Amino acid sequence: MKAVRFHQHGGVEVLRYEDAPDPVLQPGEVVVRVRACALNHLDLWERRGLPHVSIPMPHISGSDVAGEVADAAAPNVMIGQRVMLQPGVSCGRCAACLAGLDNECRHYEVLGYRNHPGGYAEYVSVPVQNLIAIPDTIDFARAAAFPLTFVTAWHMLLTRARLARGEDVLILAAGSGVGQAAIQIARLHGARVIATAGTDEKLERARALGASDVIHHHHQDIADEIKRLTNKRGVDVVIEHVGEATWPKSMRALARGGRLVTCGATTGARGSVDLAALFAKQLSVLGSYMGTKGELLQVAQLFFAGELTPVLDRTFPLAAAAAAQQRMEESGQFGKIVLET
Ligand SMILES: [Zn+2]
C-alpha cells in the first residue's frame, strides 16, 4: 500500500509518501480502507520527537480515520461497511476497561501514536470494537474530522467539569480542533460561551459557531476581558489546551467554584497554581485525556442527527501530508485539516 511515513524525527520534510507493507489481519481485528484521515497536534509532536517517548520507525501517524471495511477476522462485520474509527485502543479486559473507563487503561494507546500504525495510509488495522458505522449522509472527510476532538471536548466539559445549563465557559483557541468542538457541545448544553482566537476572521467564525463573546488573544488580555464580560465574576469552566502561554490568565479567569480542565499544553507544560486562590475560591484543576468509547458513541449520535458538525478547514491528498502539517504548524487553520486517499 501507499503510506506517509517518517524514518527519523524532524520537520515536515521527514514525511515520505512511499510504499509500505499492508497491515496484517489479526484475530479480532478488521482492516479498513482509509478514505480520510484528520490531523491532530499529536501528529506534529511525535514527528518532532518527544522526550521519554520512543516511536518505532518507520512510523505512520493518524488518529482520526474514516473509510470502508476491507477485511475482517471478527464476526458480524460487513465488508464494505462505511465506518469511522475510535481513536483509543485499549486491552479490553482490565478493571478500567470493564468499567467502561478505557481511557484509564494501563495499555491505552492512541491510534497512530507510538506502537499502533495510523491512518496516513491506504489501509489500517484496528480491533473490531473500534468500528463505528456511519450513515450514508455523512461524507468521509467530515467523519474523519469528528472522533478525537469531539470525544475529548465531551469528556472535558461534561464528564470532568460537569457543565451545567446557564454556566459561563471560556474556550481557548476557537479555531483548534478541540475549540470548535467544545463551542458546539457547550452551546448544545445551554452554556454561555466566550471564545478566544488570534485573528478577526477566526473570531467571526467562533461567533458563527455559537460563541456569545470573543476575545482576541493577541490584542486583549484574556483575564481582564473575562472580568469585564462577567461583571467581575469570572467563568465557571475554562477549557485549556494551550498551556504555559495562557495558564496564569486561565486560572485568573475562574469564578468562585470554577473548574479549569486541561487536555494539552501546546506552548509548554509548566504552569503554577496560587494555592491561596485555589482553596479560598474553591477552584478545581482537572486533567482530561481523550474520552471513553462509550462517550464517543454517545456524542456520535448528536453528529449523525445533525446537532453537531465538525468544522472542516481544508482537505489535502494523502501524498501532500507535509503541506497539510505545515498548515497546522503555522496555526492557519480553523477546524480540522483532513487527508484524503
Ligand atoms: Zn484495559
Side-chain angles (χ1 to χ4, degrees):
M1 67 171 180
K2 287 291 184 192
V4 169
R5 303 193 294 182
F6 56 86
H7 297 248
Q8 70 204 71
H9 293 297
V12 296
E13 69 282 353
V14 301
L15 295 173
R16 286 195 218 159
Y17 179 69
E18 59 189 6
D19 290 320
D22 288 344
V24 179
L25 191 62
Q26 304 286 351
E29 292 199 339
V30 295
V31 170
V32 170
R33 171 68 173 93
V34 179
R35 296 295 176 191
C37 178
L39 271 60
N40 289 287
H41 269 284
L42 187 62
D43 311 1
L44 309 189
W45 293 327
E46 65 173 337
R47 190 204 68 228
R48 293 178 199 142
L50 285 155
H52 317 299
V53 177
S54 139
I55 311 275
M57 302 280 182
H59 183 74
I60 303 174
S61 295
S63 311
D64 268 330
V65 176
E68 295 144 332
V69 174
D71 201 359
N76 306 320
V77 180
M78 205 172 65
I79 303 302
Q81 170 73 56
R82 300 171 81 253
V83 293
M84 63 182 186
L85 302 186
Q86 288 270 9
V89 183
S90 61
C91 82
R93 56 192 186 204
C94 71
C97 281
L98 293 172
L101 306 170
D102 48 277
N103 58 341
E104 293 179 21
C105 172
R106 264 185 63 203
H107 303 285
Y108 190 76
E109 287 232 319
V110 178
L111 184 64
Y113 182 54
R114 293 173 58 173
N115 297 310
H116 211 113
Y120 285 33
E122 288 177 318
Y123 294 92
V124 66
S125 67
V126 288
V128 66
Q129 59 266 35
N130 283 58
L131 296 186
I132 299 177
I134 54 173
D136 290 339
T137 49
I138 298 214
D139 64 62
F140 289 123
R142 227 167 264 284
F146 186 79
L148 195 146
T149 50
F150 275 84
V151 78
T152 298
W154 182 273
H155 189 67
M156 292 175 87
L157 283 164
L158 301 174
T159 307
R160 301 297 279 147
R162 299 186 180 277
L163 180 70
R165 177 167 286 278
E167 288 193 312
D168 288 343
V169 184
L170 168 62
I171 295 171
L172 299 184
S176 66
V178 167
Q180 53 90 26
I183 292 173
Q184 295 183 59
I185 293 168
R187 285 289 298 150
L188 199 61
H189 288 81
R192 173 168 77 139
V193 172
I194 304 169
T196 79
T199 69
D200 290 335
E201 191 201 334
K202 287 185 181 183
L203 292 174
E204 271 318 299
R205 297 196 62 179
R207 276 190 199 279
L209 265 187
S212 306
D213 294 282
V214 293
I215 299 171
H216 194 304
H217 60 223
H218 296 314
H219 298 161
Q220 293 175 296
D221 182 89
I222 294 172
D224 291 348
E225 280 302 298
I226 289 294
K227 297 285 173 199
R228 190 179 68 76
L229 290 166
T230 60
N231 197 21
K232 296 188 180 161
R233 183 179 165 270
V235 293
D236 302 290
V237 174
V238 177
I239 294 299
E240 241 299 342
H241 49 107
V242 178
E244 266 175 52
T246 50
W247 184 265
K249 291 166 186 175
S250 295
M251 289 298 297
R252 267 179 57 216
L254 286 170
R256 287 174 188 278
R259 293 89 76 198
L260 183 153
V261 195
T262 178
C263 72
T266 317
T267 59
R270 301 225 165 260
S272 66
V273 173
D274 176 346
L275 297 180
L278 186 74
F279 67 73
K281 292 169 81 177
Q282 304 203 67
L283 306 178
S284 302
V285 177
L286 303 161
S288 190
Y289 189 56
M290 304 287 288
T292 68
K293 290 189 173 67
E295 285 172 317
L296 181 52
L297 289 170
Q298 213 180 339
V299 69
Q301 290 307 313
L302 296 167
F303 174 32
F304 301 155
E307 303 269 355
L308 297 170
T309 307
V311 177
L312 271 191
D313 174 65
R314 267 180 67 180
T315 61
F316 289 81
L318 176 63
Q325 286 201 359
Q326 189 60 40
R327 181 166 173 80
M328 190 173 229
E329 291 273 13
E330 291 161 3
S331 298
Q333 82 278 15
F334 191 99
K336 300 294 284 180
I337 301 169
V338 175
L339 302 172
E340 292 182 311
T341 44

